[in-house]
Amino acid sequence: MPHEFAIEFRNVSYRLDGSRELLHGLSFGVQRGETLVLLGKSGSGKTTSLKLINNLASPSQGDVLVDGRSTREWDVIRLRRMIGYVIQEVGLFPHFTVERNIALVPKIENWPSQRIAQRVRELLSLVGLEPKLAMRYPRELSGGQKQRVGVARALAADPPILLMDEPFGALDPITRAEMQKEFASLQKRLNKTVVFVTHDLREALLLATRIALMEDGRLMAIQTPQEFLKSEEPFTRAYVAAFGSDLRS
Amino acid sequence: MNLWQFMMQNRLEVVELTLEHLWLVGISTLISVVIGVPLGILITRWPALNKPILGGANVIQTIPSLALFGFLLPAPWFGERADRMAIFALTLYALLPLIQNTYAGIKGVDPAVVEAGRGMGMTDRQLLFQVQLPLALGVIIAGIRVATVISVGLATIAAAIGAGGLGEYIFRGLAMVSNAVILAGAIPAAILALLADFGFGLLETSLTPKS
């Protein structure tokens, strides 16, 4: 029987080699197919929490469970290959073409080359890029195109979980809004378990199934976008107030 | 006798000494690449080794080359043949630029690229051979370029211990007080250095990934 949560934090603390504690006793679960948005200011511990899921960092205390198994027990390479990872800086390999960038995980998983080529074509159309871009290098793409390739690369081997760390944060406002809408509709079709980090409340309200508000390495509240807007909890209210009163529209 | 006459009369010897010179420089650079690049990679993985290894290579650079050749004379296997001693010494001198540039090249790879690769489940080995080394290649070639150019000059001193090469003419010319003979060694050596610089320069540009 599959575990109830795709991802679960059990009383997780994180300390960076003997220095001060960055995360304090986090406990929450991410349901299959939901988009959980980690919302908070810079330095609130959102990115660190994300990295605990694909074991780019490991908890000092407590356990992070993926598919019911602690990340300490997972083979780290297998774990990461079933988790797509998209970061703000995109991190495309500059010496690879778009095609080879997208094909990265299928290739190291030794898929047959025909299947890889077909998958790359599928993904390009899925993220709204023209097939002719496949042979370009990342330097020949616009910021929005790069991030689309980043999303395609993360989806390449069809991982059940997707981690996104401010993926649209470096884009201009128009491209950003476009990508948010497209991602929202993409997510409806793909039904992945997504953990999405942002400091932008509007983005969180648009994309989230539930919003987890973080502050100073603590989880302040976890609630649906509707609950978030109506909440009487002071931290949530302060966050809503900071973004102005036009959010409900 | 002027330079031109001397070189024409001894053209076979000039060619022979040039080839010897190339041999000394080529073999020593090759060995230093084989040793220096892995050492450079090693110190990106174990920062604790950084200081001892780079420090050691730095100390070697401070030993005057003539003295190093002298130290090697009584050494068992090396002392038997002058070319071995010369190649050993030239290899040591070439290590610093190679270790340093390999280290700098790998450290200079965009951290976001490395993190994306690691986050997608690349193993350390895949990351090294598919991402870090290819992206550091231009910087590593720049290190080989510097090492080679320095080696071409240093190798002339190897003639002092009888290792041959174009330094033969320079030392012979000094003994004979003949500028023509000195130049017969110095000019081809300078040309070799320039050619190496130019050739590796082209390689460096073509292998540096554009961004």
Side-chain angles (χ1 to χ4, degrees), chain A residues 51 80-81 85 93 95 104, chain B residues 115 118 120-121 126 130:
Chain A
K51 286 182 179 176
R80 288 176 187 163
R81 288 190 192 163
Y85 189 43
F93 296 167
H95 58 310
L104 188 87
Chain B
E115 182 173 294
R118 184 162 283 136
M120 282 184 302
Q126 286 165 339
Q130 294 181 31

Side-chain angles (χ1 to χ4, degrees), chain A residues 2 39 58 62 69 72 87 98 173 229:
Chain A
L39 179 70
S58 38
R69 197 195 309 177
R72 297 173 208 279
I87 56 179
V98 166
L229 288 176

Side-chain angles (χ1 to χ4, degrees), chain A residues 13-23 48 51 56-60:
Chain A
S13 297
Y14 177 76
R15 182 189 297 278
L16 193 70
D17 328 304
S19 70
R20 76 192 172 87
E21 204 171 76
L22 300 177
L23 298 176
T48 309
K51 286 182 179 176
L56 283 173
S58 38
S60 317

Side-chain angles (χ1 to χ4, degrees), chain A residues 30 67 77 79 84 86 130 150 181 207 234 238 246 249:
Chain A
V30 186
D67 259 347
I77 300 299
L79 174 74
V86 185
E130 291 173 64
K181 280 203 197 93
L207 299 177
D246 59 331
S249 59

Side-chain angles (χ1 to χ4, degrees), chain A residues 94, chain B residues 103-114 131-137:
Chain B
Y103 178 77
I106 290 178
K107 282 286 170 188
V109 174
D110 181 357
V113 168
V114 176
V131 181
Q132 291 170 309
L133 279 181
L135 290 176
L137 203 55

Side-chain angles (χ1 to χ4, degrees), chain B residues 23-199:
Chain B
W23 161 257
L24 293 177
V25 171
I27 292 294
S28 61
T29 308
L30 196 68
I31 299 173
S32 64
V33 170
V34 170
I35 300 173
V37 172
L39 281 179
I41 295 169
L42 191 76
I43 58 176
T44 62
R45 303 291 175 94
W46 283 284
L49 295 176
N50 195 336
K51 275 203 171 143
I53 288 180
L54 274 180
N58 248 315
V59 167
I60 292 170
Q61 295 284 315
T62 65
I63 306 173
S65 49
L66 207 50
L68 183 58
F69 286 127
F71 288 141
L72 289 172
L73 276 173
W77 186 77
F78 290 109
E80 286 165 30
R81 277 180 47 188
D83 58 343
R84 284 181 194 160
M85 279 188 279
I87 289 169
F88 180 74
L90 292 175
T91 302
L92 287 182
Y93 284 120
L95 279 178
L96 183 67
L98 276 158
I99 299 173
Q100 227 164 24
N101 278 42
T102 304
Y103 178 77
I106 290 178
K107 282 286 170 188
V109 174
D110 181 357
V113 168
V114 176
E115 182 173 294
R118 184 162 283 136
M120 282 184 302
M122 293 182 95
T123 61
D124 280 349
R125 179 185 289 259
Q126 286 165 339
L127 209 53
L128 180 67
F129 287 104
Q130 294 181 31
V131 181
Q132 291 170 309
L133 279 181
L135 290 176
L137 203 55
V139 184
I140 296 174
I141 301 283
I144 300 177
R145 181 182 177 185
V146 171
T148 311
V149 172
I150 293 173
S151 253
V152 170
L154 274 179
T156 58
I157 297 170
I161 52 165
L166 290 162
E168 291 274 316
Y169 280 154
I170 297 176
F171 282 101
R172 201 186 300 170
L174 284 170
M176 292 163 62
V177 202
S178 161
N179 280 339
V181 180
I182 295 179
L183 288 174
I187 290 175
I191 292 172
L192 282 185
L194 287 173
L195 284 178
D197 191 49
F198 180 72

